[in-house]
Each structure stands twice: as structure tokens, then as C-alpha cells.
Amino acid sequence: NIAQNCTKLEVLSLNQCRQITNEALMSAAPHLTKLIYLNLLCCSQLVNESIEHLSQYCTKLQTIRLTLINRLGDRSVKSLAEHCKQLRTLHVSWCRYVSDNGLLQIAKNCKELECLHCGHNRMTDTTLAVLGQSCPQLTELVSHNCPLTDEGLCTLADTAANISNLSIRRCKLFTDKSLCALTTKFGTKLQSLDVSGVFTATSLACIAQSCPNLRKLMITTTIDATTQHQQQQEDTTPAQQPESKGTGTAEEKEVVRISEHCGELREIHLLGFRSRLGDVSINAICEHCPQLSHLELYNSEFITNQALVDLAKHSAQLVYLDFKGCPNVSRQGILALAHLEKLAYLHFPNCDLQSEDLDALLQCKHLNTLNIQYNPALKPDELKAFPTNHGTLCTLNCAQHKGAGAPWD
């Protein structure tokens, strides 16, 4: 009825309308010829035929979101590439049967493409190269769990010109070589960088040197055995002995430089560096990034109460804090966090918290979500009473049984 009565409709969002059928969408398509924006996220009943039919009528589409429609495949994407040449934004992450073949047709035919989300669609270096060459207006690329390599990402750096938001995760062959090429090329244009791979201080140095306008930095490293052995040898030399508030490592020095040169950062996720980072990193982030709202750093005994004190003093905008596996935070630091009025999400799993630390958490009056799992010293009776004593808390994770491997390892 909406389609028949609103023939000039340009924007239609059916986000998570799981009851929308293929028949309904196909019958509406002839009346939606002026449609520019369509959101079908999680409309799980839809199949290729309905999207093919839709694309033949909605040739003016500029944005279509198809995320999490498991039955869609390359037929849908190829039909969009054939009929919707003005397409600027395409989201097909978690569309199980959309593959590199379909994405290649998008890259070849949709020259005005600005944003592509294709997580878990197996995009290859070949399509990535065509994307960089054929889509000069591309500014945002999200590609997770795809078989991309350093070679393909270096080609993207050579061919694309305007990338400002880049998210390449779970691509196992991503190293310093390509990350440095990407940050050097896109430099001042980059506002959001979310990457995972095998990275060292070299990548951090490139980010510090080239990306002064970053708003979000999420970097996850998986250190290989050779690099880890070299780092362990460095840490045992007298010159590399950690100070009381820092680790003295090359990684920490470059994080300090990132903080000094990227003062617009709002979100910082530094994962996988483990004990390579400590209080010195946090102190620099606090002092130089006043708009910080989200901070994650895992598994470091060099993160202490001093880091929490520094956050409380300098980071008034902080909303989300996650220090998983940092055993040297306790009551003193947690009490300091109580002064942060915007702090709503607090995560301290596997931090050796004691009963007195739980009392300190009660002082954080604005908490919405608290994760204190894997702290076995906390007593069941105290945990049971905690939500009752805390007025604003909506979500509490306090499971104390640690499995075979924690998800952040």
C-alpha cells in the first residue's frame, strides 16, 4: 500500500522487518522507480529473485543495504551492477552466497561507488585492484575475513585516491608493508582506520607520521613466533628494563607519538600488543587526545591504577573503557573513575579484582554495562547484591568460570 500510494518515494527503510516477503517486495518494485535509498538489513526471507526484480525498476538507487540476508548471492549483486549504475553505497556483509565474482561486477560497473561493506564475502586482490582503478570516488571500504594480501592492499594504495574510512580485519596476510603503504598514501584523509594483521612498531610509526586527522584507530596485531622471540630478548637487556609506569618498548614510544600527532582521536583500540604497552601510553593518550570517548587495551601488567587516575583527570568525555587482563588495576584507580560522569561501559575481566574493588565500582554512578568476569576472588553473595545496590546498571557480566581460552588472547 505504501508503494502504490507514494509513487514519489525516494527513501525507504525496512531495517529488520523480517516478515517482509519476496512477493511483497516484487509487487512494490514497479511503484518505486524514484527510490534512491533502500535499507533491507536483516530482511531474512528475501532471495535473489526479489532483488533482481527490484533492481530492474529502481535504477536510480544510490544506497542499498542488504547486510545479513543470508539467502542472497551473486545474482543479486550482478543485477544491481547491471541496472543501478548510480550506486554509491552498497552493504552486503554476511550475505552468505555473495562472492568475489559478484563484487567484481560492482567494481567494474558502478563507477560512482563511494562506500562498500563486504565482510565475509571472500573479496580477492583482483577485485580490490579493479575497485581502486574504477571507483575514483571510493571513500569507505569495509572488508572482513577475506583472502586479501599485502600485494592487493599495496595495489589499492597505488590506485585509490580518496579513502578516509578503512576497515580490513581478519586478513591473515596483512603486515607492516601494506599498512605503511596505505597510511602513507591516504595520510591526512584517513579519519577511521581499523586493521588486523602482523604489525610491529613500524606500522605505529607510519600512523603517527602520516595520519594527523584520525578519529578512530583500531589496530589488532598477531605477533609471530620470530618477532615474539626477538621482543623477549630486547626486554631482557638492561636498556629495555621496564620503568614503574611504562614498558620502554618501541611500540610504547610510537603510541606516545600517535597521541601527540593525532590529537583528534575519539576511539583507540590497541589489541594484541599485550605487555608492550603500559601507563606511559595511557598518560600520553589522556594528555593529547581530549575528545577520547572509547579506549581498549588488553593484557598488560604495566597498566596500573595510575592509568585510571590519568584518565579520570584528563578524559572527561570517556564513555567506554576496556582493560581486559590488566591485573594491576584495583580500588584506588576505580575510585578515580567515579568522577567521569559520562562513563557508561566498563570492562575489567581477568584483572584479579578483590571484594573492596567491587565497593569502589558502586561509586561509578553512571554505569550502564559492567563486565567483571573471570575475577574469582569476588564472592557470589557480593556479586548477587551488586545490581541491587547500583541504580543505573542494565547489564552485568560476572561469570567467574574461565574456559580453555579467553576470547581476547
Side-chain angles (χ1 to χ4, degrees):
N1 289 336
I2 293 176
Q4 293 175 0
N5 295 327
C6 304
T7 56
K8 295 183 179 180
L9 195 67
E10 295 183 350
V11 177
L12 178 60
S13 179
L14 300 172
N15 187 353
Q16 300 190 52
C17 293
R18 293 179 172 84
Q19 301 306 314
I20 294 294
T21 65
N22 294 284
E23 292 76 13
L25 190 62
M26 292 173 71
S27 65
H31 306 284
L32 299 173
T33 57
K34 297 185 182 299
L35 204 62
I36 295 174
Y37 175 99
L38 178 61
N39 187 347
L40 297 173
L41 185 148
C42 286
C43 294
S44 53
Q45 294 193 41
L46 301 182
V47 297
N48 286 320
E49 285 78 9
S50 58
I51 302 301
E52 288 177 308
H53 188 74
L54 181 82
S55 65
Q56 295 173 21
Y57 290 96
C58 304
T59 57
K60 295 183 180 180
L61 268 177
Q62 296 180 12
T63 296
I64 184 166
R65 303 176 187 270
L66 303 172
T67 305
L68 284 167
I69 307 181
N70 290 330
R71 301 181 186 182
L72 296 187
D74 286 338
R75 284 171 50 190
S76 295
V77 176
K78 289 179 179 179
S79 186
L80 289 169
E82 179 183 355
H83 299 289
C84 304
K85 300 296 180 65
Q86 300 178 49
L87 201 62
R88 296 182 181 179
T89 297
L90 174 63
H91 290 198
V92 288
S93 294
W94 294 101
C95 293
R96 183 182 304 175
Y97 301 109
V98 173
S99 74
D100 187 60
N101 291 329
L103 296 175
L104 181 59
Q105 297 307 310
I106 291 290
K108 288 180 176 179
N109 291 288
C110 299
K111 309 292 186 181
E112 298 182 22
L113 196 67
E114 298 175 359
C115 172
L116 176 62
H117 288 208
C118 55
H120 304 272
N121 301 124
R122 304 180 298 283
M123 183 167 69
T124 65
D125 289 348
T126 300
T127 296
L128 193 64
V130 175
L131 197 63
Q133 295 166 356
S134 301
C135 305
Q137 299 180 50
L138 187 69
T139 59
E140 182 171 334
L141 176 62
V142 175
S143 180
H144 296 174
N145 200 30
C146 295
L148 299 176
T149 68
D150 271 346
E151 182 179 354
L153 293 163
C154 286
T155 301
L156 180 68
D158 290 337
T159 55
N162 296 302
I163 300 290
S164 60
N165 297 290
L166 182 64
S167 181
I168 308 288
R169 300 189 58 75
R170 300 186 182 91
C171 299
K172 298 177 182 179
L173 301 179
F174 195 7
T175 70
D176 288 338
K177 177 183 177 181
S178 51
L179 183 53
C180 287
L182 291 165
T183 53
T184 300
K185 172 62 181 292
F186 302 129
T188 57
K189 294 181 180 180
L190 270 179
Q191 295 186 14
S192 176
L193 180 62
D194 176 5
V195 292
S196 63
V198 182
F199 305 126
T200 67
T202 300
S203 288
L204 297 176
C206 289
I207 294 170
Q209 182 176 351
S210 304
C211 307
N213 297 318
L214 275 179
R215 303 297 196 272
K216 174 183 178 180
L217 174 62
M218 184 171 184
I219 180 166
T220 304
T221 183
T222 304
I223 304 297
D224 59 31
T226 301
T227 304
Q228 192 171 32
H229 176 68
Q230 291 173 346
Q231 290 179 348
Q232 288 172 348
Q233 287 184 323
E234 291 173 2
D235 291 343
T236 58
T237 62
Q240 295 292 333
Q241 284 295 327
E243 301 174 3
S244 59
K245 288 181 59 181
T247 68
T249 63
E251 288 84 354
E252 180 144 86
K253 293 174 184 177
E254 295 305 334
V255 169
V256 171
R257 290 186 63 228
I258 288 175
S259 304
E260 293 171 348
H261 296 147
C262 307
E264 297 298 318
L265 277 166
R266 271 76 164 168
E267 287 191 40
I268 301 177
H269 313 240
L270 298 169
L271 313 180
F273 292 97
R274 304 177 74 86
S275 294
R276 311 291 296 172
L277 304 177
D279 284 356
V280 170
S281 301
I282 304 302
N283 179 263
I285 290 170
C286 293
E287 288 191 3
H288 299 288
C289 304
Q291 300 303 314
L292 184 71
S293 63
H294 188 126
L295 177 62
E296 295 185 38
L297 195 156
Y298 297 173
N299 296 321
S300 176
E301 67 269 28
F302 294 100
I303 298 292
T304 72
N305 287 324
Q306 185 59 51
L308 303 185
V309 171
D310 290 339
L311 285 167
K313 182 178 180 181
H314 298 287
S315 301
Q317 305 303 315
L318 194 65
V319 175
Y320 188 111
L321 177 63
D322 192 340
F323 278 171
K324 292 184 178 77
C326 297
N328 290 320
V329 298
S330 60
R331 177 181 176 82
Q332 178 186 353
I334 294 171
L335 284 172
L337 293 179
H339 298 289
L340 294 175
E341 295 185 356
K342 295 185 178 181
L343 186 62
Y345 302 87
L346 189 57
H347 298 251
F348 282 146
N350 197 30
C351 290
D352 293 340
L353 295 183
Q354 306 298 312
S355 296
E356 58 269 24
D357 303 326
L358 198 62
D359 293 336
L361 287 167
L362 287 172
Q363 304 305 314
C364 299
K365 299 296 186 182
H366 304 280
L367 284 184
N368 175 276
T369 298
L370 176 63
N371 185 337
I372 49 175
Q373 60 181 339
Y374 312 142
N375 288 286
L378 299 180
K379 299 176 181 178
D381 291 344
E382 296 170 331
L383 292 171
K384 185 176 181 180
F386 187 86
T388 304
N389 297 330
H390 197 293
T392 64
L393 200 64
C394 294
T395 302
L396 174 63
N397 188 342
C398 57
Q400 299 305 311
H401 175 68
K402 187 173 181 179
W408 54 84
D409 285 341

